[in-house]
Amino acid sequence: MNQVEQSTLHEGIRFRSVRDTKFKTFRISVNFLLPLQKDTAAANALLPFLLSRCSRAYPDFTLMSRKLASLYGASLGAEVGKLGNLQVLTVSASGIAERYALENEHLAAELTEVLCGALFDPALENGRFREEDFRQEQRQTLEQLDAEFSDKRAFALTRCTEIMCADEPFGLHRFGSRDAVEHLTVEQVTQAWRQMLQTARVEILALGDLDPQPVAKRLAKAFDGVVRQYAPLQNTVDCAHSKEISHVTDRQDVVQGKMVLGLRVQTSQRQNPELVPAARLMSAIFGGTPNSKLFLNVREKMSLCYYCASLYNSMLGLMFVQSGVEFENMEKAEQAILEQLKAVQGGEFTDADIAAAKLSMVNNYNGVADSLSALEGWYLSQSVSAQVYTPEAYAKLVQDASREDIVRTAQGVYLDTVYCLKGQKEAAQ
């Protein structure tokens, strides 16, 4: 049983439920969408983690954990992400389906109450977040930034994005800069919380085996107490393609080089959404599957990369090719990658290539409904599109995409930035 329903609770606040009794659990997530801006990103990023720690009703970690444990091991979670040019702040609650409760407890309603307490009635002291809570989350955010710096594959993609989108919101890190996080104050974060409740676009998702109506009513009531000042968000800011290609090289103490090619794609959700399914297929044929040109040729036949794959952002019309390359092979690998792009642009791929890419993508879309986290990600990303599709409906669009449209989208791909991460020893030679 799979029922998808949608309603508007207040202006700028949308509630969507996907009820499916095949799951033994449910998940409720409240997602706040805000403009991704340099001066607010860091303060916003701390909020979900601060709010999910405790509330006025359960004012410390021990009491909150005890309450969640009493709800059959329920959990509160927090995430920060980017969706196009928006920063997404998520606080979620997960629990077991009520049919498994031993005494017929209303678990979804109780967990929604806990969630509302965390979001709207946090543990404050003199009208602001407590200093100790703030300092702990500030430290953990800095540790998360350090961990991402240590993951050189992720670091290289982040750096390429920063360079390529330096004049666009998408170029900002989802946590803001390290310096901004270090210099945050409790007052800034407290003000960011009030601004979030008042101005953010809110996407609420209730997924899995639960009755969504009590959840919607309780959250609507909670927002009744907020003086909203919502203004519709602009998510896409198209940037004109520069004819001059940027080449940037960083040097660190690494033994394996990383190279990321940043490309502009003329097909995007705003410009021509009808061609996006074909553009997704184009990226899959180019470098998105084990049958792709990048994998079979650049990695396998030419042995130029340890890994080589493309990633397409349909919202902003961006594509990134990530690769792990020996330092001395970077120029050859760049040339080989661009040759494979040229081949796709020239239609040099078989019907079997198209069929394999379609099969891979359709399988992925059909698998979305097997996971609550995947469903959450799907409908959250769909929420900023002009039209909302179920995964099954979108799979049909991919199946119907033509060879001509695939080639057409490929011909609208242009190299913008080449980012290389090389070693210190290699520089000294």
Side-chain angles (χ1 to χ4, degrees):
M1 181 181 180
N2 190 326
Q3 294 177 305
V4 182
E5 297 179 354
Q6 177 182 306
S7 61
T8 299
L9 303 186
H10 292 281
E11 185 181 11
I13 302 174
R14 183 162 51 187
F15 181 87
R16 180 177 287 113
S17 63
V18 182
R19 190 174 187 180
D20 195 332
T21 55
K22 77 181 178 188
F23 291 104
K24 296 179 180 179
T25 59
F26 66 86
R27 181 177 174 90
I28 304 162
S29 70
V30 184
N31 305 275
F32 297 89
L33 279 59
L34 291 160
L36 185 56
Q37 297 172 339
K38 184 178 182 179
D39 57 346
T40 59
N44 288 341
L46 253 67
L47 287 175
F49 305 101
L50 260 175
L51 294 170
S52 62
R53 286 175 65 92
C54 52
S55 65
R56 188 168 65 85
Y58 308 101
D60 60 46
F61 184 79
T62 300
L63 291 172
M64 178 63 83
S65 297
R66 190 177 297 161
K67 175 60 179 177
L68 294 172
S70 75
L71 299 176
Y72 299 87
S75 63
L76 282 184
E79 294 176 49
V80 176
K82 292 196 298 188
L83 194 57
N85 289 318
L86 302 176
Q87 190 177 23
V88 184
L89 316 177
T90 301
V91 179
S92 60
S94 301
I96 66 167
E98 292 183 356
R99 68 177 186 267
Y100 298 109
L102 298 178
E103 298 180 13
N104 298 316
E105 297 99 324
H106 297 297
L107 298 179
E110 286 198 54
L111 200 48
T112 303
E113 194 66 37
V114 174
L115 182 59
C116 286
L119 291 171
F120 299 94
D121 194 15
L124 302 180
E125 195 172 79
N126 299 320
R128 63 180 199 171
F129 288 109
R130 296 177 302 196
E131 188 77 25
E132 183 182 353
D133 294 340
F134 164 71
R135 292 299 174 195
Q136 285 189 18
E137 293 305 334
Q138 181 187 42
R139 185 181 69 252
Q140 290 186 21
T141 299
L142 291 171
E143 289 173 355
Q144 176 68 25
L145 287 168
D146 289 342
E148 292 186 15
F149 179 83
S150 299
D151 181 347
K152 297 309 177 187
R153 181 169 180 170
F155 170 80
L157 179 60
T158 297
R159 278 288 289 138
C160 184
T161 304
E162 288 174 351
I163 296 160
M164 181 176 174
C165 304
D167 298 323
E168 303 162 66
F170 191 69
L172 297 171
H173 193 282
R174 69 188 190 283
F175 288 156
S177 69
R178 182 184 179 86
D179 183 67
V181 174
E182 287 178 337
H183 288 89
L184 280 175
T185 66
V186 175
E187 289 79 10
Q188 284 177 307
V189 178
T190 304
Q191 179 60 22
W193 166 61
R194 295 194 170 99
Q195 283 287 110
M196 178 189 79
L197 293 179
Q198 292 170 357
T199 65
R201 174 173 166 183
V202 186
E203 294 287 336
I204 303 171
L205 297 169
L207 311 164
D209 188 1
L210 83 168
D211 180 359
Q213 293 309 313
V215 177
K217 288 181 180 178
R218 180 63 186 93
L219 283 161
K221 182 181 177 182
F223 275 105
D224 284 342
V226 177
V227 180
R228 293 276 288 167
Q229 300 169 3
Y230 170 72
L233 300 174
Q234 294 295 323
N235 189 30
T236 50
V237 181
D238 292 327
C239 185
H241 170 66
S242 173
K243 292 182 179 179
E244 186 175 337
I245 299 169
S246 298
H247 285 80
V248 176
T249 298
D250 284 342
R251 296 191 181 275
Q252 294 180 13
D253 187 15
V254 295
V255 294
Q256 183 191 108
K258 308 293 181 188
M259 182 172 68
V260 182
L261 272 57
L263 305 108
R264 300 279 177 183
V265 186
Q266 290 184 335
T267 301
S268 68
Q269 293 284 5
R270 192 175 83 88
Q271 291 179 301
N272 37 17
E274 73 284 356
L275 285 176
V276 167
R280 292 186 187 278
L281 273 170
M282 175 271 295
S283 179
I285 292 169
F286 175 47
T289 73
N291 293 311
S292 68
K293 286 189 170 292
L294 292 183
F295 187 90
L296 293 179
N297 295 308
V298 181
R299 183 187 185 277
E300 296 293 298
K301 290 182 182 178
M302 303 174 75
S303 299
L304 286 173
C305 303
Y306 296 102
Y307 62 86
C308 191
S310 64
L311 177 69
Y312 171 56
N313 183 321
S314 65
M315 200 166 297
L316 299 178
L318 304 174
M319 187 161 66
F320 297 93
V321 176
Q322 297 176 267
S323 58
V325 195
E326 294 289 350
F327 306 134
E328 65 271 16
N329 286 336
M330 284 190 171
E331 287 187 18
K332 291 180 182 177
E334 178 187 341
Q335 182 181 355
I337 290 167
L338 295 176
E339 285 174 354
Q340 296 307 312
L341 175 62
K342 188 175 180 180
V344 177
Q345 291 172 329
E348 296 175 25
F349 50 88
T350 66
D351 290 344
D353 293 332
I354 299 175
K358 285 184 176 181
L359 180 62
S360 175
M361 292 180 64
V362 168
N363 283 342
N364 288 339
Y365 292 135
N366 288 340
V368 167
D370 295 334
S371 159
L372 291 182
S373 60
L375 275 173
E376 180 185 55
W378 175 265
Y379 282 105
L380 183 57
S381 65
Q382 289 281 300
S383 68
V384 293
S385 299
Q387 184 172 350
V388 176
Y389 293 95
T390 65
E392 296 80 10
Y394 205 87
K396 179 67 165 57
L397 296 180
V398 169
Q399 285 279 31
D400 293 342
S402 67
R403 166 184 283 274
E404 292 73 24
D405 283 344
I406 294 170
V407 173
R408 181 179 168 190
T409 61
Q411 290 173 347
V413 177
Y414 304 94
L415 180 64
D416 184 291
T417 301
V418 179
Y419 172 75
C420 297
L421 178 61
K422 294 184 176 182
Q424 301 282 15
K425 292 181 181 179
E426 188 263 350
Q429 292 176 357

